[in-house]
Amino acid sequence: MNVLTDAWGWLTTSANWHGSDGIPTRFVEHFEYSVEAVLIGALIAFPLGLLTGHTKRGGLVVTSLANVARALPTLGLVVLLVVVMGVKFRAVMIPLVALTVPPILLNTYEGVRNVDPQLTDAAKGMGLRPWQVLWRAEVPAALPLILTGFQFAAVNAVANTAIAAYSSFGGLGRFIIDGLATTEYGEVAGGAVLIVIAAILNLLFFILLRRIFISPGLQPKKLAG
């Protein structure tokens, strides 16, 4: 309980909310790193998931790529890349991107591949071209699963962006690293709490996206009682 008390004391100290290493600045840095990782991961995984899901080919390749990316030891890879590349942002971003690829790739692939064939047949019967069938029929129907993949990717990015601090970069992980170095465990716990808050905000953001973009007919049904 002393650690929680110290964390609360650190979080409520006014000085920690100001300056270039204050909580708002670190929060913005953490957000920027996470968003960049998800965007780069999406550029790699989303088109590949759409292509393989639409053609229903390459499932083994998709699964293998996702499993390889998931098996990468994030911190170990960061340390290795820093040794090889030097203290550069790419050394941190590559492992973060690798973590965002599997959920986006797999969920996009499975979502599009498992769209009801009657829906795609009806779209083809209306004279739609293959790319129109994909964007007008398959993607809207697969959107709940696709968004779930993006949500998992974003959570992975938010949780693991703390490793950026190991390479002398910013973000909320900076509080954990600096706190451990100076035995300020209130700062360590406070940094951890902030990362949890960032993950919760991420979940709320995707709940909002689901309400805005997913058709009511595709929303998960609530259980009675």
Side-chain angles (χ1 to χ4, degrees):
M1 292 300 293
N2 288 336
V3 173
L4 294 178
T5 302
D6 291 342
W8 176 253
W10 181 82
L11 287 169
T12 54
T13 299
S14 176
N16 295 328
W17 291 83
H18 302 285
S20 59
D21 58 350
I23 292 173
T25 301
R26 296 303 189 196
F27 206 98
V28 170
E29 290 172 344
H30 202 96
F31 175 78
E32 289 176 345
Y33 297 163
S34 302
V35 169
E36 187 172 345
V38 173
L39 289 178
I40 296 173
L43 288 175
I44 298 169
F46 188 57
L48 183 57
L50 290 178
L51 176 63
T52 52
H54 178 68
T55 61
K56 295 179 172 57
R57 296 176 181 175
L60 180 60
V61 174
V62 166
T63 304
S64 300
L65 285 174
N67 287 336
V68 168
R70 256 190 310 221
L72 292 174
T74 309
L75 181 56
L77 186 57
V78 168
V79 173
L80 175 62
L81 290 175
V82 167
V83 171
V84 174
M85 302 169 60
V87 182
K88 297 180 180 179
F89 188 58
R90 285 178 296 174
V92 174
M93 190 53 59
I94 290 173
L96 290 180
V97 170
L99 286 172
T100 66
V101 166
I104 296 175
L105 179 58
L106 286 176
N107 282 48
T108 302
Y109 165 71
E110 290 292 344
V112 174
R113 184 176 72 91
N114 291 311
V115 169
D116 190 340
Q118 293 183 346
L119 178 62
T120 56
D121 289 343
K124 293 174 183 175
M126 294 171 60
L128 297 183
R129 297 178 181 275
W131 66 269
Q132 291 175 315
V133 172
L134 173 63
W135 287 107
R136 296 187 184 182
E138 292 175 333
V139 169
L143 194 56
L145 199 55
I146 291 173
L147 280 180
T148 298
F150 273 86
Q151 177 182 315
F152 285 147
V155 169
N156 283 342
V158 168
N160 288 280
T161 292
I163 66 174
Y166 280 98
S167 300
S168 302
F169 289 97
L172 298 175
R174 189 77 261 160
F175 297 129
I176 296 176
I177 300 302
D178 292 346
L180 289 172
T182 58
T183 65
E184 292 287 343
Y185 296 114
E187 183 176 0
V188 174
V193 168
L194 291 172
I195 293 174
V196 170
I197 291 173
I200 292 173
L201 291 175
N202 170 75
L203 294 176
L204 294 175
F205 172 71
F206 278 94
I207 290 173
L208 179 62
L209 285 185
R210 285 191 177 87
R211 291 186 178 276
I212 294 174
F213 292 107
I214 297 180
S215 166
L218 295 174
Q219 294 281 3
K221 291 182 173 55
K222 296 181 180 179
L223 297 177

